[in-house]
Amino acid sequence: MTPTWQGVYPAATTQFKPDLSIDVADTQRVVDNLIKDGVHGIIAMGTVGENNSLDGDEKRTLLRAVVETVAGRVPVVTGVSEFDTRRAVAYAKDAQKAGADGLMVLPAMVYVPTGEELTFHFRTVAEATDLPIMLYNNPPAYRVNITTGVLQALSNVKNIVAVKESAPDPRRFTDLINAFGDRFKLLAGLDDVAFEGFMLGAVGWVSGLTNAFPQESIQLVEAIRRNDLNRARAIYRWFMPLLHLDAEHDLVQSIKLAEQIMGRGSERVRPPRLPLSGARRKEVTALVERAAATRPSAA
């Protein structure tokens, strides 16, 4: 399927066994349940999917399993998050062979590139595949900003079609639309700026907390689509204490704990991440339990 980039694309979690090997079957179950709940696409092995905690063979095995489970019901987009351009190109090629429908391409990890180097990385990955590409901009996490200059230099790359915008400043959406019109489809990539993103021109949402509350995430987007802003604001205000978790350094552990509390997955993570403990665990648990007890009614 060709991604439309519209609607809710959860950044699905990767499930692990007690020995922290990949639990392929349980990851497939998690993905299948998200699709049954009505999400519009799946992001496999993004940040929440612990991409950089997986080795190359694990990524390829897991992607094939996700593609098999999805079975064409929604688009499958996989994260391309590697330490250098060579590895990113190799994974992009293998992802296309495995049946992915699109790629979410990140800057190369660890090294902070110049604008010229960032442009080279994205262009080289794009030229290695026919798949449509969404670039992932997250300056707080990756210490590099995909500037309008970089996007201008990439505007002639036909299969770079979308930008996941995770900068915490919602003015970015307006700046990008003013600079490029509809050249790139924009997706909200930070959960607690999702409503603002849609109001300012985003067409989709790459979401972490959808893993725990998929139906409410879809209800939020549907309310925005039909211009029922009173309902959208009510859902967003209910959701916001949890959505803030997506902007914290321990977002993966928090989202997986929420997922576990809601009976949808396991909180197991690979070190150096560790499951939440102490006061932080109590805080996140209380937020999830409060949200579960006060869920907005279906429209």
Side-chain angles (χ1 to χ4, degrees):
M1 298 182 69
T2 300
T4 65
W5 309 105
Q6 299 185 28
V8 181
Y9 281 59
T13 58
T14 298
Q15 298 296 299
F16 297 110
K17 296 177 181 178
D19 66 358
L20 298 185
S21 61
I22 289 180
D23 192 330
V24 172
D26 210 38
T27 303
Q28 289 178 307
R29 179 188 63 81
V30 164
V31 167
D32 186 55
N33 284 338
L34 287 168
I35 295 171
K36 289 176 179 175
D37 278 311
V39 302
H40 305 98
I42 292 290
I43 305 290
M45 292 171 286
T47 302
V48 177
E50 296 176 75
N51 185 302
N52 295 113
S53 296
L54 310 177
D55 65 33
D57 289 342
E58 289 176 323
K59 293 180 187 184
R60 289 157 173 82
T61 297
L62 195 60
L63 178 58
R64 288 192 294 269
V66 170
V67 169
E68 177 187 326
T69 295
V70 173
R73 290 176 288 173
V74 299
V76 176
V77 177
T78 185
V80 181
S81 179
E82 303 293 341
F83 288 106
D84 62 15
T85 304
R86 175 179 57 90
R87 290 182 177 90
V89 164
Y91 183 71
K93 290 179 177 179
D94 288 346
Q96 181 165 345
K97 293 175 184 176
D101 300 299
L103 304 176
M104 180 177 73
V105 182
L106 285 73
M109 296 291 100
V110 181
Y111 176 68
V112 180
T114 65
E116 180 183 5
E117 291 168 331
L118 186 60
T119 301
F120 177 88
H121 177 75
F122 288 146
R123 182 183 294 274
T124 303
V125 174
E127 289 174 347
T129 177
D130 298 324
L131 293 177
I133 288 173
M134 172 174 63
L135 303 182
Y136 180 5
N137 188 47
N138 191 334
Y142 302 116
R143 300 176 294 158
V144 59
N145 186 38
I146 303 176
T147 64
T148 54
V150 169
L151 289 173
Q152 183 62 53
L154 294 168
S155 61
N156 64 342
V157 183
K158 292 182 179 180
N159 61 329
I160 297 179
V161 297
V163 176
K164 174 189 174 186
E165 185 52 64
S166 294
D169 185 348
R171 292 176 296 181
R172 274 276 296 184
F173 293 98
T174 300
D175 288 341
L176 292 178
I177 290 171
N178 282 346
F180 300 105
D182 61 0
R183 168 61 184 85
F184 301 104
K185 292 189 177 180
L186 303 183
L187 289 86
L190 195 61
D191 281 359
D192 58 359
V193 193
F195 179 86
E196 292 84 348
F198 276 107
M199 290 295 98
L200 295 171
V203 298
W205 177 19
V206 178
S207 171
L209 270 301
T210 293
N211 285 289
F213 291 93
Q215 294 176 13
E216 289 78 9
S217 300
I218 294 163
Q219 289 169 23
L220 172 62
V221 173
E222 289 178 346
I224 293 170
R225 282 177 166 175
R226 64 175 182 266
N227 205 32
D228 187 352
L229 298 187
N230 286 333
R231 176 164 173 78
R233 279 189 290 263
I235 296 171
Y236 196 51
R237 289 167 181 165
W238 161 83
F239 218 166
M240 185 59 79
L242 285 178
L243 299 182
H244 284 319
L245 297 175
D246 189 58
E248 300 292 339
H249 75 281
D250 57 3
L251 75 158
V252 175
Q253 298 96 309
S254 297
I255 289 168
K256 293 186 90 169
L257 176 57
E259 191 179 33
Q260 177 170 286
I261 291 169
M262 297 307 297
R264 303 186 66 91
S266 165
E267 68 171 327
R268 296 187 192 103
V269 289
R270 274 189 174 168
R273 291 186 179 95
L274 297 174
L276 298 183
S277 61
R280 180 59 169 165
R281 184 181 186 86
K282 291 179 181 178
E283 177 188 10
V284 173
T285 298
L287 288 173
V288 177
E289 291 178 345
R290 187 178 306 119
T294 58
R295 299 170 88 159
S297 59

